[in-house]
């Protein structure tokens, strides 16, 4: 034993020596952390003592790593991968858009996703408990996440309801949206005018599915078909999450994997369609000049941000059910790249089908305009001498029509506009940007009417959408239920059912005849800005308030290896800067873009942009304010000690564990706890924890410099300090893993 040890001093001197368990542990090394009651970090060559909380703390756990990965994939891979990423790719330069997206995925997506996984796994709480623990004054972060989850869940499940309606409508041949309905007026049968002006699929969506009104101000009453579909959607979600991860984990095996089966089937089928190669080539043809536009980078950052589900709380909730030593860094990289490649796969499928649809529409355009030209020839408006000899109007090809169109336009330069001929260029059809519901319920449905065995493909497509939406809804609901169940002693099943009932009743707003306009409103305003603010505060609270160096050391203790130093810079500087730029760009975009929505005008059978009325505009900004309101309220209340610091629930389990271990130490001979000592060993100086060396290599973490008592809750810290413990402040995230109250 080293001669400087206080135990040796006690043997050699009659002076009273005051020492604590922490003093003993600070000067000696344990033999084996697995066989010891102490949890030891894996710093290179130096084992770091700390008290370990048993993982059998009553908190539910995933049955397997695969189940957990599928849950995270199911949450992050959603409808946006199918109908927003392809649209952004088409809009922002095709293949060129993939470059800024991938760069931002590396510098924003993966680091922040890793951060959320790590804090959830370490603290083993939902979003409210995690941020109350890290920094009680910023505890409103978790509450804002819960608010946003609530808003998003309300309208997201409506989209699942629409998919359920189309799913059941698909069991018909021919599909009900394949032809326009015929209206009979006595003995005369005419095509429905609204359908004739638009298309069969557009008419079925706006009139027979939504039966939408022409303005948001006109409610029109409840749409019974959509109300029943929404009820079915909430019943499915409720059954999936009612038992927590015990039920949702099993559902994820199917809901996360089945969409990939459908996407691969659609890709194979799509590549066999005429014109699919044109669509894929159009997608991957890079427009490099687009990469210089700031708008492209802003939209890429936004898509990365939402694709991974950052800020919702679902990521944290899922990871909180992991074992403390799970390799969450591997999980973050794996899930992020699965999400990225899923977006690429979905984009290939979408553009293969849209290429087929564009060829169909272009051939239809050629046929209609060819009939016009033939009529002009028969009525001598045009001379037969203008038509090249090789052109056959009974089998008019797009290239032949392009030659005829060019000749007529040159000869009839003055009166060409009166002929009403269209150019019928395939590129124009491919450039028609379609996103969101327009892609799924209009463009895709129209393409599938031309598929052989179209009902089968329609059933598969909408069943895939239901499963994609269900995976995201499970994560969203977990982001709501887990924080509440961690904080309060409520029955899980009863609380889940209550949430679903309340959500269904609130969701009736979206199944009015004007409900789709409210879906657009919530999609535009309830999540974008609030979530960006939430994530930047998450980043700042860990990287700047808790401390990046300390957090890196916690990760080393938890994972058994030190993460790359790149994360230090990304968390500390790059990610916050990118998020600030994103917030600024979002605010500017909202300021310069007139708030409004695309309304379906029945008389014109077209969409027209309309500004929100004053009450709807107030509702838009109320969504933003309500979602972010917990942030300042909690900060002010805790700053002036008007409410608990949020650590009371945690301090009980900490006190029990700490006092139990300390009492065990006091009952036995103190020399027993000096583990692994050898004669002549030099004691470790300073604190027991091995300091994390900064990137510069010459500075270490000073626990006092981070001033944990300024931000971190103190009730659980005070409970863990014995009278003889040194006054060095403990590290909040490292000593213990909180037990579950659920």
């Amino acid at each position: 034993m080293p001669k400087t040890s206080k135990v040796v001093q006690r043997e050699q001197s009659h002076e009273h020596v005051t020492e604590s368990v922490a003093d003993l542990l600070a000067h000696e090394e344990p033999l084996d952390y697995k066989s010891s009651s102490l949890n030891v970090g894996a710093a290179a060559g130096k084992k770091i003592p700390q008290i370990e909380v048993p993982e059998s703390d009553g908190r539910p756990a995933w049955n397997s790593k695969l189940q957990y990965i599928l849950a995270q994939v199911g949450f992050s891979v959603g409808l946006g991968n199918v109908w927003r990423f392809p649209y952004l790719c088409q809009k922002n330069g095709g293949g060129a858009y993939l470059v800024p997206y991938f760069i931002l995925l590396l510098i924003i997506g993966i680091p922040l996703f890793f951060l959320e996984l790590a804090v959830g796994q370490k603290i083993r709480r939902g979003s409210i408990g995690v941020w109350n623990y890290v920094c009680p004054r910023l505890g409103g972060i978790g509450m804002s996440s819960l608010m946003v989850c609530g808003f998003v869940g309300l309208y997201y499940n409506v989209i699942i309801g629409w998919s359920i309606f189309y799913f059941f409508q698909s069991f018909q041949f021919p599909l009900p949206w394949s032809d326009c309905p015929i209206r009979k007026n006595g003995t005369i049968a005419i095509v429905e005018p609204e359908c004739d002006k638009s298309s069969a699929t557009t008419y079925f969506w706006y009139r027979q599915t939504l039966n939408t009104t022409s303005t948001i101000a006109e409610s029109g009453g409840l749409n019974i078909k959509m109300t029943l579909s929404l009820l079915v959607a909430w019943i499915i979600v409720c059954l999936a999450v009612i038992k927590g991860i015990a039920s949702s984990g099993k559902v994820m095996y199917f809901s996360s994997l089945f969409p990939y089966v459908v996407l691969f089937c659609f890709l194979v089928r799509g590549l066999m369609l005429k014109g699919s190669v044109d669509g894929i080539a159009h997608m991957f043809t890079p427009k490099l000049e687009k990469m210089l536009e700031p708008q492209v980078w802003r939209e890429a950052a936004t898509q990365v941000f939402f694709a991974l589900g950052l800020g919702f709380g679902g990521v944290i909730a899922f990871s909180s059910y992991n074992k403390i030593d799970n390799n969450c860094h591997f999980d973050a990289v794996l899930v992020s790249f699965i999400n990225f490649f899923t977006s690429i796969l979905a984009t290939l499928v979408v553009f293969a089908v849209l290429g087929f649809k564009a060829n169909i529409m272009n051939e239809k355009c050629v046929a209609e305009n060819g009939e016009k030209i033939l009529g002009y020839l028969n009525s001598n408006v045009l001379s037969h001498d203008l038509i090249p000899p090789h052109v056959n109007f009974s089998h008019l090809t797009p290239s032949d029509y392009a030659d005829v169109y060019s000749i007529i336009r040159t000869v009839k330069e003055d009166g060409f506009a009166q002929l009403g001929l269209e150019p019928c260029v395939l590129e124009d059809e491919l450039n028609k940007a379609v996103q969101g519901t327009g892609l799924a319920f209009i463009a895709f449905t129209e393409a599938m009417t031309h598929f052989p065995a179209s009902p089968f493909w329609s059933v598969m497509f909408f069943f895939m959408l239901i499963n994609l939406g269900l995976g995201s809804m499970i994560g969203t609901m977990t982001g709501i239920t887990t924080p509440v169940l961690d904080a309060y002693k409520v029955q899980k099943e009863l609380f889940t059912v209550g949430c679903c009932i309340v959500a269904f009743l609130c969701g009736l707003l979206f199944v009015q005849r004007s409900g789709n306009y409210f879906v657009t409103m919530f999609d535009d305003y309830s999540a974008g800005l609030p979530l960006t603010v939430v994530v930047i505060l998450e980043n700042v609270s860990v990287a700047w308030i808790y401390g990046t160096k300390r957090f890196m050391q916690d990760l080393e203790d938890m994972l058994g290896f030190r993460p790359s130093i790149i994360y230090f810079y990304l968390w500390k500087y790059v990610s916050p800067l990118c998020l600030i730029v994103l917030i600024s760009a979002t605010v500017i975009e909202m300021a310069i873009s007139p708030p409004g929505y695309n309304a379906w005008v029945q008389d014109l059978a077209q969409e027209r942009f309309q500004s929100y009325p004053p009450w709807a505009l107030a509702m838009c900004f109320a969504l933003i304010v309500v979602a972010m309101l917990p942030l300042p309220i909690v900060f002010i209340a805790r700053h002036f000690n008007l409410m608990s610091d949020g650590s009371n629930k945690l301090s009980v389990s900490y006190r029990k564990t700490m006092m139990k271990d300390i009492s065990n130490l006091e009952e036995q001979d103190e020399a027993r706890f000096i583990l692994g000592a050898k004669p002549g060993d030099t004691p470790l100086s300073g604190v027991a924890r091995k300091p994390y060396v900064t990137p510069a290599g010459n500075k270490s973490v000073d626990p006092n410099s981070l001033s944990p008592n300024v931000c971190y809750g103190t009730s659980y810290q005070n409970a863990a300090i014995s009278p003889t413990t040194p006054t060095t402040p403990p590290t909040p995230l490292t000593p213990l893993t909180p037990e579950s109250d659920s």
Side-chain angles (χ1 to χ4, degrees):
M1 182 179 296
K3 296 182 179 180
T4 55
S5 169
K6 292 185 178 180
V7 175
V8 175
Q9 292 175 9
R10 177 178 296 175
E11 294 175 352
Q12 297 176 351
S13 173
H14 296 291
E15 295 180 4
H16 176 69
V17 179
T18 301
E19 68 178 357
S20 65
V21 175
D23 285 327
L24 294 174
L25 297 177
H27 291 80
E28 307 296 339
E29 286 186 326
L31 285 172
D32 184 7
Y33 85 99
K34 292 184 178 179
S35 60
S36 171
S37 62
L38 304 176
N39 183 22
V40 183
K46 303 291 184 181
K47 296 190 176 181
I48 306 163
Q50 64 181 35
I51 298 176
E52 177 183 337
V53 177
E55 291 192 8
S56 58
D57 56 1
R59 188 173 185 81
W62 297 103
N63 291 335
S64 65
K65 181 65 173 284
L66 176 61
Q67 191 179 84
Y68 164 69
I69 293 296
L70 291 178
Q72 291 286 14
V73 169
F75 176 52
S76 65
V77 175
L79 298 175
N81 296 77
V82 175
W83 66 34
R84 180 154 179 81
F85 185 90
Y87 160 74
L88 291 174
C89 189
Q90 179 186 30
K91 175 186 174 185
N92 295 317
Y97 173 75
L98 300 178
V99 176
Y101 183 88
F102 188 74
I103 292 174
L104 292 170
L105 178 67
L106 294 179
I107 66 174
I108 296 181
I110 294 178
L112 294 179
F113 192 57
F114 180 26
L115 184 146
E116 288 201 359
L117 290 179
V119 295
Q121 180 174 307
K122 181 68 178 180
I123 304 175
R124 296 173 67 79
R125 281 292 183 275
S127 56
I128 294 179
V130 161
W131 303 115
N132 278 342
Y133 181 30
V134 172
C135 182
R137 290 185 184 178
L138 293 181
I141 294 175
M143 298 180 188
S144 286
S145 293
L146 193 147
M147 296 291 294
V148 172
C149 278
F151 287 147
V152 171
L154 288 178
Y155 78 84
Y156 202 88
N157 219 26
V158 175
I159 301 174
I160 299 179
W162 293 342
S163 302
I164 290 173
F165 175 77
Y166 267 81
F167 172 74
F168 286 107
Q169 291 291 316
S170 299
F171 290 94
Q172 302 179 45
F173 185 80
L175 292 170
W177 52 80
S178 58
D179 296 302
C180 285
I182 303 298
R183 177 191 295 180
K184 291 187 178 181
N185 186 5
T187 58
I188 302 175
I190 60 172
V191 177
E192 177 65 41
E194 185 180 2
C195 182
D196 193 37
K197 292 178 183 178
S198 54
S199 68
T201 51
T202 304
Y203 176 82
F204 186 87
W205 168 242
Y206 282 111
R207 188 55 51 215
Q208 297 188 3
T209 302
L210 301 177
N211 194 19
T212 187
T213 58
S214 296
T215 65
I216 194 173
E218 182 184 353
S219 168
L222 289 178
N223 183 331
I224 301 302
K225 294 181 290 186
M226 292 300 100
T227 303
L228 294 176
S229 298
L230 179 63
L231 178 61
V232 173
W234 275 114
I235 290 174
I236 294 173
V237 170
C238 185
L239 293 175
V241 300
I242 193 169
K243 295 290 186 181
I245 63 170
S247 58
S248 62
K250 295 179 175 62
V251 173
M252 285 297 183
Y253 281 115
F254 183 80
S255 64
S256 297
L257 294 176
F258 179 75
Y260 290 96
V261 176
V262 177
L263 284 174
F264 276 111
C265 291
F266 261 98
L267 180 61
V268 173
R269 184 68 188 89
L271 292 175
M272 297 169 61
L273 297 171
K274 178 183 178 181
S276 61
V277 177
D278 296 327
I280 295 176
H282 178 78
M283 167 202 163
F284 280 109
T285 301
K287 301 178 181 64
L288 298 179
E289 65 278 3
K290 284 280 188 179
M291 292 178 58
L292 302 178
E293 299 179 9
Q295 177 74 6
V296 174
W297 288 83
R298 186 188 75 82
E299 293 190 345
T302 303
Q303 180 62 16
V304 167
F305 185 78
F306 289 108
L308 295 175
L310 300 175
F312 282 94
V315 173
I316 293 176
F318 280 151
S319 65
S320 71
Y321 299 112
N322 271 333
K323 295 181 178 180
I324 193 66
D325 59 348
N326 173 62
N327 189 347
C328 55
H329 177 260
F330 171 80
D331 300 342
V333 175
L334 177 64
V335 174
S336 298
F337 277 99
I338 289 176
N339 188 292
F340 176 67
F341 288 118
T342 303
S343 298
I344 299 296
L345 174 62
T347 304
L348 287 172
V349 172
V350 167
F351 275 90
V353 174
L354 290 184
F356 166 69
K357 175 181 175 289
N359 272 269
I360 295 293
M361 299 304 295
N362 194 57
E363 290 177 357
K364 182 180 178 181
C365 176
V366 169
E368 291 176 350
N369 285 271
E371 291 180 0
K372 287 183 181 180
I373 295 174
L374 197 57
Y376 292 144
L377 292 174
N378 294 333
S379 60
N380 295 322
V381 174
L382 295 175
S383 171
H384 287 272
D385 296 335
L386 298 177
I387 309 302
H390 67 276
V391 174
N392 182 1
F393 279 92
S394 60
H395 296 89
L396 189 61
T397 63
S399 59
D400 289 344
Y401 174 77
D403 294 338
V404 174
Y405 178 85
S406 178
I407 293 171
I408 295 175
R409 184 172 184 176
T410 303
V411 174
K412 293 286 186 179
E413 183 176 352
D414 296 333
F416 180 76
Q418 285 74 24
L419 297 178
L421 298 178
E422 298 177 10
C424 298
V425 179
L426 180 63
E427 190 73 13
D428 293 340
E429 287 291 338
L430 291 170
N431 282 329
K432 290 181 179 179
V434 183
Q435 68 162 323
T437 55
L439 174 64
F441 298 106
I442 297 177
F444 238 81
T445 52
E446 184 170 350
M448 284 186 294
T449 58
H450 302 285
F451 281 22
S454 55
F456 168 78
W457 294 105
S458 183
V459 167
M460 293 283 284
F461 177 72
F462 288 108
F463 195 38
M464 177 191 72
L465 291 188
I466 292 170
N467 281 275
L468 284 173
L470 181 60
S472 298
M473 273 302 299
I474 289 174
T476 302
M477 288 297 295
T478 305
I480 296 173
T481 58
T482 297
V484 176
L485 294 174
D486 285 344
Y488 302 100
K489 292 290 185 180
V490 295
Q491 186 177 353
K492 182 185 301 179
E493 293 80 2
L494 186 62
F495 176 71
T496 303
V497 172
C499 284
C500 293
I501 292 174
V502 172
F504 169 72
L505 295 176
C506 294
L508 295 178
L509 172 69
F510 305 102
V511 291
Q512 306 173 89
R513 288 180 57 197
S514 60
N516 60 309
Y517 305 139
F518 288 99
V519 170
T520 301
M521 176 194 293
F522 273 63
D523 190 35
D524 291 340
Y525 291 94
S526 68
L529 185 60
L531 271 186
T532 312
V533 173
V534 164
V535 173
I536 192 173
L537 289 177
E538 290 181 355
N539 194 172
V540 168
S541 64
V542 171
W544 288 91
I545 298 176
Y546 180 72
T548 310
K549 302 169 190 174
R550 180 180 294 180
F551 186 59
M552 293 286 280
Q553 182 64 59
D554 290 330
L555 288 174
E556 182 178 353
D557 296 342
M558 184 169 66
L559 303 178
F561 64 89
R562 180 169 296 177
S564 171
I565 201 66
I566 294 174
Y567 287 106
F568 180 93
Y569 294 106
L570 291 177
W571 284 326
K572 190 80 171 180
Y573 306 108
V574 179
S575 296
L577 179 61
C578 290
L579 289 172
I580 290 173
V581 172
L582 179 58
I583 288 177
S584 303
T586 302
V587 172
I588 294 172
E589 179 71 16
M590 292 175 63
I592 63 177
S593 300
Y597 61 102
N598 290 320
W600 178 256
V601 181
Q602 184 174 358
D603 296 336
L604 300 175
Q606 290 181 349
E607 283 188 337
R608 286 288 183 268
F609 180 83
Q610 294 188 12
S611 298
Y612 285 118
W615 63 267
L617 197 58
M619 189 174 178
C620 294
F621 290 104
L623 290 173
I624 299 175
V625 171
V626 170
M628 294 194 296
L629 199 58
L631 297 170
I633 289 179
V634 172
F635 182 87
I636 294 172
R638 287 181 175 160
H639 180 76
F640 294 102
N641 297 321
L642 300 178
M643 66 182 295
S644 167
D645 65 1
S647 63
N648 292 336
K649 297 289 181 181
L650 303 176
S651 63
V652 175
S653 59
Y654 283 167
R655 184 179 292 110
K656 289 180 180 178
T657 307
M658 289 290 291
M659 298 309 295
K660 178 180 178 180
D661 289 335
I662 292 174
S663 65
N664 289 339
L665 293 175
E666 292 174 347
E667 290 173 0
Q668 303 177 49
D669 184 74
E670 62 183 1
R672 177 180 174 183
F673 302 100
I674 305 175
L675 305 177
K678 297 179 182 179
D681 283 351
T682 302
L684 299 175
S685 60
V687 295
R689 163 179 294 283
K690 176 183 176 180
Y692 178 79
V693 180
T694 64
N698 54 6
K699 294 182 181 180
S700 61
V701 179
D702 180 5
N704 295 315
S705 67
L706 294 174
S707 300
N709 289 336
V710 174
C711 189
Y712 310 116
T714 56
S715 61
Y716 54 85
Q717 295 172 358
N718 295 336
I721 301 176
S722 67
T724 59
T725 302
T727 58
T728 303
T731 306
L733 277 177
T734 301
L736 291 168
T737 304
E739 296 177 4
S740 174
D741 292 329
S742 60

